Amino acid sequence: MNKNLIIFPGGGDPENTKYNKVYSLIENEAKKRNYNEIFIAKWPGHKSFNDNAKEVIKMDTSLENAILYLNEFEKKGKKYDVICRSYGCSVLMAALNNTSLNNLDRIVLWGPPAHHVFYEMYVINLEETKKEAYLKGANVNFDSFLSSIPIEYLIKEYNKKNLLIIAYGTEDKFCTPDFVKFLKSLPKKYFTITDNIINNLKKAGVDEKITESLKPLNKDFNKKNFEEELSNLKISNEQKELVMKHALTKNENISFREVIGCPHEIEEENEFYFKALFE
């Protein structure tokens, strides 16, 4: 495999004794699968990031560092995958909206927490959460919630061509099967005119001049804008309907994977967990 791997951690410090086993398991499995370079990120607010007691886990500073990490891997000129855990899922999804990534291949979100989980942790149970975070090598406060971006929104807005895998365990208390069911039901605001759609139109007998004229539209449009673009093309209503039919095909770049009996944290080898992350 000629690819690299970045691992975006959750809110707990990946070097903390409570979490290092989790990340060691992922790293060791990645080595077995012959990734060239494996990098485990850290966020400001993690003790091992710079041991600054004044820094807390916040989306704006996490996002800033995430973009730096991603750009460093872009410079290497090799394809790479990103595996995210918990809070790190939101960080990556936000980063995708803030930078252009040509070498990013595959995205895996493990256990993305519902936004109400952050509300319960950082608003309702803030003092208890602070104590738990400290034991996990992290600093948090109310700003951790104020800066957060709902993963529900980020997944709804996802419109990239990269394969996005959302994996979760049936015993995950932060990303429950019911929450995943909700994610699956989210309407897709955007769609993409891809080469596959253009090829399907050609096979359906749409004139090649028309399919060629669609190529400049090979980017993201909402339905209203796209219909306006179509109205400028000299094609029949029947052909327009055919184009819309293919354009509005469900986004097949999002895949959901369930691991029976699996909790949010994994501390021992689990072949089904690894399959969800790597295959």
Side-chain angles (χ1 to χ4, degrees):
M1 180 185 294
N2 193 28
K3 282 204 294 187
N4 295 325
L5 175 66
I6 308 177
I7 301 169
F8 275 13
D13 188 336
E15 291 191 13
N16 181 266
T17 53
K18 201 168 180 66
Y19 283 100
N20 58 10
K21 190 170 183 179
V22 176
Y23 292 99
S24 292
L25 283 169
I26 297 173
E27 185 176 17
N28 291 337
E29 187 65 21
K31 288 176 181 176
K32 291 178 186 176
R33 293 170 187 267
N34 299 316
Y35 279 94
N36 291 327
E37 182 178 346
I38 302 162
F39 173 73
I40 302 176
K42 297 169 190 171
W43 312 127
H46 282 159
K47 185 177 174 61
S48 66
F49 182 83
N50 60 8
D51 201 15
N52 183 344
K54 293 182 179 180
E55 283 193 309
V56 298
I57 299 288
K58 291 193 300 182
M59 177 57 75
D60 51 355
T61 53
S62 297
L63 180 57
E64 182 181 338
N65 280 273
I67 291 173
L68 289 175
Y69 296 143
L70 292 166
N71 286 337
E72 281 300 309
F73 271 73
E74 283 288 317
K75 291 175 187 175
K76 297 176 188 292
K78 281 185 179 179
K79 291 289 182 184
Y80 60 95
D81 297 338
V82 183
I83 292 176
C84 311
R85 286 188 48 81
S86 197
Y87 166 74
C89 298
S90 295
V91 179
L92 177 68
M93 295 299 285
L96 293 179
N97 293 330
N98 286 273
T99 188
S100 178
L101 303 170
N102 297 317
N103 292 316
L104 175 60
D105 190 16
R106 189 168 168 275
I107 302 162
V108 182
L109 309 182
W110 173 264
H115 195 56
H116 72 79
V117 170
F118 288 108
Y119 180 79
E120 290 167 8
M121 290 174 65
Y122 298 114
V123 180
I124 298 175
N125 301 312
L126 179 58
E127 292 308 312
E128 183 181 338
T129 299
K130 281 182 179 180
K131 293 174 185 175
E132 290 181 2
Y134 182 78
L135 296 175
K136 297 174 182 177
N139 296 316
V140 300
N141 64 17
F142 185 54
D143 288 339
S144 303
F145 174 75
L146 290 180
S147 66
S148 63
I149 304 174
I151 191 69
E152 298 90 329
Y153 168 79
L154 294 168
I155 290 174
K156 180 176 180 292
E157 295 295 296
Y158 181 73
N159 60 356
K160 307 297 182 184
K161 294 181 181 179
N162 307 76
L163 175 62
L164 172 64
I165 295 167
I166 299 173
Y168 66 101
T170 56
E171 301 303 315
D172 191 328
K173 62 181 181 180
F174 298 135
C175 179
T176 64
D178 281 344
F179 178 57
V180 173
K181 185 178 179 181
F182 166 74
L183 292 179
K184 289 179 179 179
S185 73
L186 287 175
K188 302 296 182 292
K189 181 178 178 182
Y190 295 99
F191 51 88
T192 303
I193 303 303
T194 66
D195 290 336
N196 283 339
I197 288 172
I198 289 173
N199 290 334
N200 285 336
L201 294 175
K202 287 179 180 177
K203 290 176 185 176
V206 175
D207 190 280
E208 191 168 339
K209 289 181 181 177
I210 295 168
T211 55
E212 286 298 312
S213 69
L214 287 173
K215 284 191 174 179
L217 305 185
N218 195 14
K219 57 182 181 177
D220 302 313
F221 283 89
N222 63 39
K223 185 176 178 181
K224 181 181 177 184
N225 290 346
F226 183 64
E227 286 177 332
E228 288 174 357
E229 294 285 344
L230 276 185
S231 68
N232 295 326
L233 299 176
K234 295 181 179 179
I235 59 178
S236 68
N237 288 334
E238 184 180 351
Q239 288 171 326
K240 284 180 184 177
E241 287 177 10
L242 185 60
V243 172
M244 289 300 298
K245 178 183 176 182
H246 284 283
L248 294 174
T249 299
K250 185 179 178 182
N251 187 343
E252 295 179 354
N253 290 339
I254 299 181
S255 171
F256 290 86
R257 298 184 180 175
E258 179 180 86
V259 184
I260 304 296
C262 199
H264 196 64
E265 308 295 348
I266 297 296
E267 295 186 353
E268 56 187 27
E269 290 193 10
N270 182 319
E271 63 172 307
F272 300 105
Y273 173 69
F274 291 145
K275 282 183 178 180
L277 295 183
F278 291 104
E279 294 182 7

